[in-house]
Amino acid sequence: GESVGLHLPTLSVQEGDNSIINCAYSNSASDYFIWYKQESGKGPQFIIDIRSNMDKRQGQRVTVLLNKTVKHLSLQIAATQPGDSAVYFCAENSNAGGTSYGKLTFGQGTILTVHP
Amino acid sequence: DVKVTQSSRYLVKRTGEKVFLECVQDMDHENMFWYRQDPGLGLRLIYFSYDVKMKEKGDIPEGYSVSREKKERFSLILESASTNQTSMYLCASRGTPSYEQYFGPGTRLTVT
């Protein structure tokens, strides 16, 4: 029989463009956020993280922005390359109660496709 | 570099079989996690362990159990596999005090 699944958000860009991937998080008590990249057939790989006491953090070609007022997180990738094509996940850690053991809650993911 | 390995990349099992998925990490991490990943649903936590012989249920523990007899090894057990357990299974580890989790390559399990 035919199955119907949820569709991931997608972003399609040209090589060299800047990419912005957005994520809304749910828990105002979350104190840590992380972005992962998952290429086809591989496990998620760490890209960049940010703590709730920061608004912005930069890495190599990537920047994460955190807006706690509207519970929004974004990942900016500068000069996007074909090798950046992957699924990108945001994740949050909610340390409410102090015994979360570092559990992360993941978003559904966004598919980024970079065209040469 | 942290290395997390999983015993199989692909696995095909029959309904009702007992299935063992093994995960090993080489960084002496205290915390280990099992997730399943399904299209459009992201990663969902099945079980995690914060020390040897210690375990906690995640968000979707039904139909699964785990074992952590040694610090480096965390096993996921499907007591009686069912078709709705067909999925990608990902193992991760984390060292204190970092929140970053390191993932293995995943095991794609098909239950027929």
Side-chain angles (χ1 to χ4, degrees):
Chain A
E2 185 177 5
S3 64
V4 177
L6 296 175
H7 296 286
L8 292 183
T10 60
L11 177 63
S12 185
V13 301
Q14 291 295 126
E15 182 177 2
D17 287 352
N18 296 331
S19 302
I20 300 175
I21 299 171
N22 297 302
C23 179
Y25 64 93
S26 56
N27 194 334
S28 56
S30 293
D31 60 356
Y32 173 84
F33 304 87
I34 189 168
W35 280 99
Y36 281 95
K37 172 187 180 183
Q38 186 176 23
E39 297 174 277
S40 180
K42 297 183 179 180
Q45 293 177 285
F46 170 87
I47 302 173
I48 192 168
D49 59 0
I50 189 168
R51 292 194 176 272
S52 59
N53 60 355
M54 302 172 68
D55 296 323
K56 179 180 181 179
R57 190 163 187 224
Q58 288 184 292
Q60 188 177 12
R61 280 201 309 119
V62 294
T63 300
V64 55
L65 298 177
L66 175 62
N67 185 331
K68 294 180 285 292
T69 303
V70 295
K71 292 190 283 188
H72 183 267
L73 194 66
S74 68
L75 176 70
Q76 300 178 2
I77 305 173
T80 316
Q81 302 166 1
D84 295 326
S85 294
V87 179
Y88 289 80
F89 293 96
C90 64
E92 61 183 298
N93 171 255
S94 171
N95 205 29
T99 56
S100 71
Y101 300 111
K103 287 189 295 179
L104 296 175
T105 301
F106 287 81
Q108 291 184 17
T110 296
I111 301 172
L112 174 65
T113 303
V114 182
H115 300 283
Chain B
D1 280 352
V2 175
K3 194 169 183 182
V4 179
T5 57
Q6 295 183 228
S7 51
S8 305
R9 293 300 305 274
Y10 300 94
L11 210 52
V12 180
K13 295 292 182 180
R14 292 191 181 276
T15 300
E17 279 192 83
K18 191 169 186 176
V19 182
F20 293 87
L21 301 182
E22 303 284 338
C23 176
V24 177
Q25 51 95 3
D26 66 356
M27 282 301 291
D28 202 37
H29 284 170
E30 297 85 2
N31 306 282
M32 297 186 75
F33 305 81
W34 274 108
Y35 296 89
R36 64 177 283 175
Q37 183 177 26
D38 300 289
L41 296 178
L43 278 70
R44 293 181 291 166
L45 181 64
I46 304 171
Y47 266 98
F48 68 100
S49 169
Y50 53 91
D51 202 350
V52 175
K53 296 190 186 293
M54 306 304 289
K55 59 187 178 184
E56 290 279 342
K57 293 180 180 179
D59 300 319
I60 52 164
E62 296 78 19
Y64 304 94
S65 63
V66 290
S67 173
R68 185 136 181 236
E69 296 297 318
K70 293 185 178 181
K71 192 174 186 180
E72 68 271 18
R73 188 179 297 269
F74 191 34
S75 302
L76 180 69
I77 303 154
L78 287 66
E79 295 289 341
S80 178
S82 63
T83 55
N84 63 11
Q85 292 178 310
T86 292
S87 186
M88 170 70 85
Y89 289 88
L90 289 161
C91 174
S93 74
R94 179 183 78 88
T96 309
S98 170
Y99 284 117
E100 181 184 348
Q101 293 184 18
Y102 296 84
F103 284 86
T107 296
R108 185 165 294 282
L109 172 67
T110 302
V111 183
T112 61

